[in-house]
Amino acid sequence: MKTKLCFATNNAHKLEEIQAILGDSFELLSLKDIHCSEELPETGDTLEANSLQKAQYLYDHYQVNCFADDSGLEVHALGGEPGVDSAHYAGPQRSHADNVNLLLKNLSDKNDRSAQFRTVITLIQNGKISQFEGIIKGQIITDLRGSAGFGYDPIFVPEGYTATFAEMSLTEKGKISHRARAFGKLVAFLD
Ligand code: IMP
C-alpha cells in the first residue's frame, strides 16, 4: 500500500519533482488534495520555527503525515538577514526586485559579501518530528546578472562557480541548491 504524505504546497512543479524522486511507494498530496485552502501560519522568527509551524498546523488540523519547507538568504555582514524575512525584506508587497535592491543598498558599504541560501524541511510522521537542512554558500555580487530563476538568484554566485543562480539552467541549479540538498536528505530518510 502507498504511504500518503502531504507536502505543504500547491506548486504542481515542486510536487511532481519530489513525487518522481520518492517513487511508487509514496503518494504525495498537495494542500488542495487535502482541501486546505487557508494560508498556513508562518509567524516564527527562524526557518526551523516556520517550517515546523506549517507542518504542525497541517498535522493538527488535517490529521495527515506531512512535510513543509521554508527557505531564505542569510547574509553574513547583515547578521544573517534577510533570512526568514527574505520574501518580504523590502515590505509586504513581496516584490523580488525591491528585495534585491534593498539588499544591494544595505551591502553597499560592506567588504564581506559572503552569504548562504538555507532550506529547512520539517517532516511529521505519526507525531514524530524530523528536520532536514540544506545549505549552499556563495557571494553576493554588486550588479544583477542573468534572467532565470527568481528572488535573489541574479545576485548570488555559489562557491566554486562564476555564474549566478540566474545564469544557470534549472537542472544545473537543481543539482546544488539549498532546496535540492534539503530534499535530498528528506528523500534519503524516507527511503
Ligand atoms: P520559500 O520559503 O521557498 O518561499 O522562500 C522564501 C524566500 O526566500 C523567497 O521568496 C525568496 O525571496 C528567497 N529564496 C528562497 N529560495 C530562493 C532561491 O532559490 N533563489 C532566490 N531566492 C530564494
Side-chain angles (χ1 to χ4, degrees):
M1 218 185 61
K2 286 189 181 189
T3 306
K4 287 190 184 206
L5 202 51
C6 177
F7 180 8
T9 185
N10 275 322
N11 181 326
H13 176 73
K14 270 193 186 179
L15 212 68
E16 213 176 299
E17 204 173 289
I18 307 300
Q19 178 70 74
I21 306 172
L22 282 175
D24 281 349
S25 47
F26 286 91
E27 182 185 348
L28 277 195
L29 307 172
S30 66
L31 291 174
K32 208 165 141 204
D33 290 332
I34 63 163
H35 307 293
C36 171
S37 55
E38 65 270 31
E39 188 121 345
L40 300 179
E42 241 182 306
T43 57
D45 51 15
T46 60
L47 299 174
E48 281 78 3
N50 269 354
S51 70
L52 172 62
Q53 201 180 12
K54 289 188 275 188
Q56 192 78 60
Y57 181 92
L58 287 180
Y59 190 77
D60 292 345
H61 290 77
Y62 292 87
Q63 287 79 44
V64 280
N65 289 329
C66 58
F67 60 90
D69 67 330
D70 203 30
S71 303
L73 176 67
E74 299 173 333
V75 180
H76 190 238
L78 302 177
E81 278 187 8
V84 76
D85 295 323
S86 292
H88 42 84
Y89 189 43
Q93 77 284 0
R94 293 174 168 250
S95 148
H96 287 315
D98 291 352
N99 291 339
V100 165
N101 288 333
L102 179 62
L103 187 71
L104 290 180
K105 184 169 154 266
N106 289 346
L107 265 186
S108 59
D109 60 342
K110 311 271 192 234
N111 291 323
D112 177 3
R113 302 187 70 96
S114 60
Q116 62 181 24
F117 275 116
R118 197 162 73 91
T119 295
V120 176
I121 300 170
T122 300
L123 168 73
I124 308 185
Q125 271 185 310
N126 307 315
K128 183 174 172 281
I129 297 170
S130 313
Q131 289 195 312
F132 308 91
E133 182 188 60
I135 291 177
I136 173 88
K137 291 182 184 295
Q139 294 286 323
I140 304 297
I141 56 171
T142 51
D143 297 296
L144 285 78
R145 276 189 358 225
S147 53
F150 71 105
Y152 301 91
D153 280 351
I155 54 167
F156 182 81
V157 175
E159 218 168 74
Y161 293 79
T162 51
T164 65
F165 261 173
E167 291 175 314
M168 293 183 176
S169 68
L170 207 60
T171 318
E172 214 177 341
K173 180 184 168 189
K175 282 183 196 153
I176 57 168
S177 81
H178 45 307
R179 207 169 290 102
R181 289 176 175 174
F183 276 105
K185 289 183 188 172
L186 169 75
V187 169
F189 178 86
L190 290 171
D191 272 353

